[in-house]
Amino acid sequence: RGGILGFSDLPLWAHPLQDFHGTAPVIAALVEVRVRGGTSIYHALQEAYDRLKVDDALVKHVVLLSDGQSTTTFDRHGDVVTGMLRRRITVSTIAVSADSDRREMERIAEAGGGRAYYAERFDQLPRSEEHTSELQSRRNLVCRPLLEKKKR
């Protein structure tokens, strides 16, 4: 199962959470996501949490892709992330751009029981099969060094 939740000021499902039927619909939905307005990370995380907490999937994981420069902050809204982890919904982050707020994204991943990744450009994003295999095994695997990762 998977879904794509785009967000700026408000979250909007570009691809609703549903059974996986190949990459074509997912890629088509990603192409339609546009950068617009401000960034409200925690409203998007709340929307993902609300949807996932009632879903019957065994593994629930959110991958947050953003520059991390949000109008909402962990200090004020971090309880969303900690609530997700209490419900066994993990959150990993990918901070994109040299200007990204990597510390904010690292805080989210740490509180969400996930991993923090960093890429200066979109063509440096982690390979999905590496991230997926890590989730399926539920072990911390060392992925090929495509990106700088947060050191624990």
Side-chain angles (χ1 to χ4, degrees), residues 43-64:
H43 291 123
L45 287 173
Q46 182 68 56
E47 174 67 24
Y49 177 42
D50 290 344
R51 180 61 183 95
L52 287 171
K53 69 183 177 185
V54 297
D55 193 84
D56 61 357
L58 295 177
V59 176
K60 300 176 187 183
H61 186 71
V62 172
V63 178
L64 173 65

Side-chain angles (χ1 to χ4, degrees), residues 61-65 90-94 109 112-117 131 134:
H61 186 71
V62 172
V63 178
L64 173 65
L65 174 68
T90 55
V91 181
S92 288
T93 61
I94 305 172
R115 299 186 88 158
Y117 300 90
H131 192 73
E134 179 181 336

Side-chain angles (χ1 to χ4, degrees), residues 134-145:
E134 179 181 336
L135 288 175
Q136 289 171 343
S137 69
R138 291 307 238 176
R139 293 187 329 220
N140 287 330
L141 301 177
V142 177
C143 298
R144 282 176 256 156

Side-chain angles (χ1 to χ4, degrees), residues 39-42 45 64 66-78 81 91-95 100-112 116-117 150:
T39 301
S40 181
I41 288 174
Y42 294 94
L45 287 173
L64 173 65
S66 175
D67 65 5
Q69 296 181 10
S70 179
T71 58
T72 54
T73 64
F74 186 87
D75 290 336
R76 294 194 61 199
H77 300 281
V81 181
V91 181
S92 288
T93 61
I94 305 172
S100 61
D101 187 343
R102 291 172 64 184
R103 181 64 196 127
E104 183 76 3
M105 297 291 275
E106 289 168 356
R107 288 180 75 187
I108 294 167
E110 186 175 317
Y117 300 90
K150 180 182 177 213

Side-chain angles (χ1 to χ4, degrees), residues 13 17 19-20 65 81 84 87 126 128 131 135 138 148:
W13 286 98
L17 186 62
D19 290 338
F20 184 74
L65 174 68
V81 181
M84 293 171 90
R87 292 256 191 156
S128 63
H131 192 73
L135 288 175
R138 291 307 238 176
E148 178 181 332

Side-chain angles (χ1 to χ4, degrees), residues 15-48:
H15 183 74
L17 186 62
Q18 58 188 272
D19 290 338
F20 184 74
H21 298 290
T23 58
V26 175
I27 292 170
L30 277 171
V31 168
E32 294 301 316
V33 174
R34 299 286 181 246
V35 176
R36 60 189 195 284
T39 301
S40 181
I41 288 174
Y42 294 94
H43 291 123
L45 287 173
Q46 182 68 56
E47 174 67 24

